[in-house]
Amino acid sequence: MTPLHFQSIADVAEQMRTRALSPVELTEHMLARIESVDGRLRAYCTVMSEQARAQAAQAEREIAAGRYLGPLHGVPIAVKDLCFTSGVPTMGGTAVLHDHVPTFDSTVVAGLADAGAVLLGKLNLTEGAMGGYNPAFAVPENPWRQGHWPGASSSGSGAATAAGVAFGTLGSDTGGSIRHPAAVCGTVGLKPTWGLVSRYGVLDLAQSLDHVGPLTRTVQDAAWVLQAIAGADDNDPTTLRSAVPDLTEALDGGVHGLRLGWDEDYASIDLADDFAAAVEAGLRALERLGARVVPVRMPARLREYLEAWQVLCTSEAYDAHRAFFPERAAEYGPWFREWLERGAGYTAADYAHAHHLRLACVRELEEVLSDVDLLVCPSTAREAYPMPLEDAYGPIPVDRDAWASRYTVPMDYAGVPTLSMPCGLSRSGLPLSLQLVGPARSEPLLVRAGHAYERATEWHTLQPPGW
């Protein structure tokens, strides 16, 4: 039998709905597990034991009284430490915010609470949600292999979900920060359409690129979490005004007749051959279920477009940190301090040029997606790799290459939704990941296709060894 902490939200939700398992019992199990394993996993920066117990007791009373709220009711969840939590520190992985205690919950945290979820705590991340860690914070372990990259920036979110110290987590994605951790930690990651989820009360990296979304063990679980946090919010004028559809209404609809875009070069060039083979095997599994593969061609100027991301992200990050930088520059870690310095050095003309490149990339990606229902490609450019602490804390590697973000940045430019799912193990036994990309507001189709893929494969059932 699957250990309780490795079960899906669907599994534990049914047990609580039928009262075979109580929210209090489940929460105590998870708090004990955090106590037991997080010393070596280092996913959590703050464990909210007292609040979690209070929320679990409330959920238990509500369910006993017949007021069952749905599949997240009583389920222990954790969030990336960018998301404001009233009375609890929200530090964003940076020392300048070590004493930042919000007086209100972010909209996404409030949405989880409204759904009856139990908040276990806040998760470690790279500083400012970028690439390296502040020396004042711990680096999360990749549960699949010690000393290996856990993904950035939602590293604690990926590690916590994979290692069974939360049933689902929230991450954020500006250039791949939901998809990278999901991919290398072997979980599902769902990056929503930009504007579908409010960013109110979520610390910014780059406002025009930031997305908030779930990491879970199954596609259905991800859909449920996204359903709870999505929707228009008057506190965030960038949220979409139209109603959020039921993301799981057509979950069992299958993929028969769907047109799947496939650029063989994009999905294989500069990618390890075992990784490319696993992604194509995922495509063929969907084809056997009745989908039709349609050849497409990604933008020819993609390398040039990717270079613009640094200008946009550093400039917007500098703007987001102007209250602290450069006056308190010494408190930043070397990685993120250098990132902000780069942003401070760009001119308005540099930003305008980069923005025009972004618009060109978005237009070309729209053309790719216009002839298909979904695009299939890898979620990230490589499996988890060795990451010594000195590399994790910075400075920025001199060989950092924008091409490594070719599977993530274009989708952030365009704000289109993506779904990442485990699709195999590399020769060295590390997770590999398949990504589905759809046009704006196609989340119901993404989760329908992803659910069909999971029903035909077993990669999502794998657990990291030793946990």
Side-chain angles (χ1 to χ4, degrees):
M1 291 182 62
T2 303
L4 182 59
H5 45 268
F6 277 129
Q7 292 182 25
S8 68
I9 292 175
D11 292 332
V12 296
E14 180 61 17
Q15 293 174 67
M16 286 190 288
R17 187 188 67 82
T18 60
R19 303 188 204 174
L21 176 68
S22 81
V24 170
E25 177 186 1
L26 184 59
T27 297
E28 291 295 344
H29 176 88
M30 295 303 287
L31 289 173
R33 176 150 175 86
I34 293 169
E35 178 68 23
S36 173
V37 307
D38 199 57
R40 60 189 173 107
L41 184 66
R42 301 184 296 277
Y44 283 85
C45 58
T46 305
V47 180
M48 297 163 55
S49 305
E50 183 177 344
Q51 178 174 319
R53 289 187 170 104
Q55 288 180 324
Q58 178 181 339
E60 187 159 312
R61 290 191 299 270
E62 291 169 341
I63 294 172
R67 299 195 301 272
Y68 181 65
L69 299 178
L72 298 188
H73 203 176
V75 175
I77 301 289
V79 301
K80 187 176 183 176
D81 196 35
L82 291 177
C83 305
F84 283 26
T85 38
S86 181
V88 179
T90 299
M91 302 171 284
T94 184
V96 297
L97 292 172
H98 75 279
D99 58 355
H100 174 234
V101 180
T103 58
F104 65 94
D105 285 336
S106 58
T107 300
V108 291
V109 168
L112 291 174
D114 289 344
V118 173
L119 185 55
L120 292 170
K122 313 293 288 296
L123 299 164
N124 276 315
L125 64 149
T126 53
E127 185 170 18
M130 201 32 231
Y133 297 83
N134 187 289
F137 291 84
V139 177
E141 192 69 80
N142 186 319
W144 282 87
R145 186 145 316 158
Q146 184 177 2
H148 280 57
W149 187 50
S153 63
S154 310
S155 45
S157 302
T161 305
V165 292
F167 287 95
T169 61
L170 294 188
S172 65
D173 196 307
T174 307
S177 296
I178 289 172
R179 288 161 288 170
H180 292 315
V184 301
C185 292
T187 78
V188 171
L190 179 52
K191 183 191 82 68
T193 303
W194 193 84
L196 186 69
V197 175
S198 172
R199 293 178 292 108
Y200 178 68
V202 179
L203 294 170
D204 296 323
L205 172 56
Q207 288 194 56
S208 75
L209 296 162
D210 294 345
H211 305 64
V212 180
L215 293 89
T216 59
R217 297 194 191 107
T218 71
V219 171
Q220 183 177 45
D221 289 357
W224 279 336
V225 175
L226 181 58
Q227 193 85 57
I229 64 173
D233 179 12
D234 290 340
N235 290 313
D236 179 358
T238 67
T239 51
L240 301 173
R241 299 289 106 181
S242 53
V244 179
D246 185 334
L247 300 181
T248 60
E249 184 177 21
L251 193 68
D252 295 324
V255 297
H256 186 80
L258 287 187
R259 299 164 299 162
L260 302 180
W262 177 248
D263 183 335
E264 185 174 358
D265 288 343
Y266 179 60
S268 61
I269 289 176
D270 296 331
L271 193 71
D273 58 355
D274 55 344
F275 198 162
V279 172
E280 183 166 3
L283 172 77
R284 300 308 169 190
L286 290 166
E287 186 178 33
R288 288 192 295 274
L289 293 173
R292 180 163 60 92
V293 178
V294 178
V296 297
R297 184 65 62 192
M298 287 293 283
R301 297 171 61 194
L302 188 56
R303 287 181 183 268
E304 181 184 0
Y305 295 153
L306 293 173
E307 294 291 344
W309 185 85
Q310 175 178 277
V311 180
L312 299 171
C313 184
T314 58
S315 299
E316 294 189 24
Y318 173 65
D319 177 59
H321 286 261
R322 292 180 80 169
F324 308 107
F325 189 89
E327 286 77 14
R328 297 173 64 180
E331 296 176 57
Y332 287 90
W335 211 111
F336 196 53
R337 181 169 59 244
E338 183 179 341
W339 194 250
L340 295 176
E341 288 169 349
R342 292 184 184 185
Y346 288 122
T347 66
D350 294 330
Y351 187 90
H353 179 67
H355 180 62
H356 292 151
L357 290 173
R358 173 186 180 174
L359 293 178
C361 185
V362 169
R363 176 65 184 134
E364 291 195 50
L365 183 59
E366 286 176 346
E367 291 178 358
V368 172
L369 293 173
S370 67
D371 292 329
V372 298
D373 296 300
L374 300 173
L375 172 71
V376 180
C377 63
S379 295
T380 189
R382 58 190 297 194
E383 65 183 80
Y385 52 85
M387 189 180 71
L389 282 179
E390 56 269 27
D391 293 347
Y393 287 121
I396 299 173
V398 294
D399 60 350
R400 186 177 183 276
D401 185 2
W403 184 240
S405 296
R406 60 193 178 274
Y407 301 123
T408 54
V409 161
M411 298 72 176
D412 283 312
Y413 276 170
V416 296
T418 69
L419 177 69
S420 296
M421 302 175 291
C423 68
L425 294 175
S426 70
R427 292 190 187 94
S428 60
L430 293 172
L432 303 174
S433 182
L434 168 79
Q435 181 176 206
L436 303 180
V437 181
R441 301 302 301 266
S442 64
E443 284 84 356
L445 180 58
L446 283 170
V447 299
R448 190 181 104 198
H451 184 64
Y453 175 77
E454 283 185 342
R455 293 175 68 179
T457 63
E458 296 185 348
W459 297 115
H460 63 287
T461 66
L462 295 180
Q463 300 161 15
W467 295 93

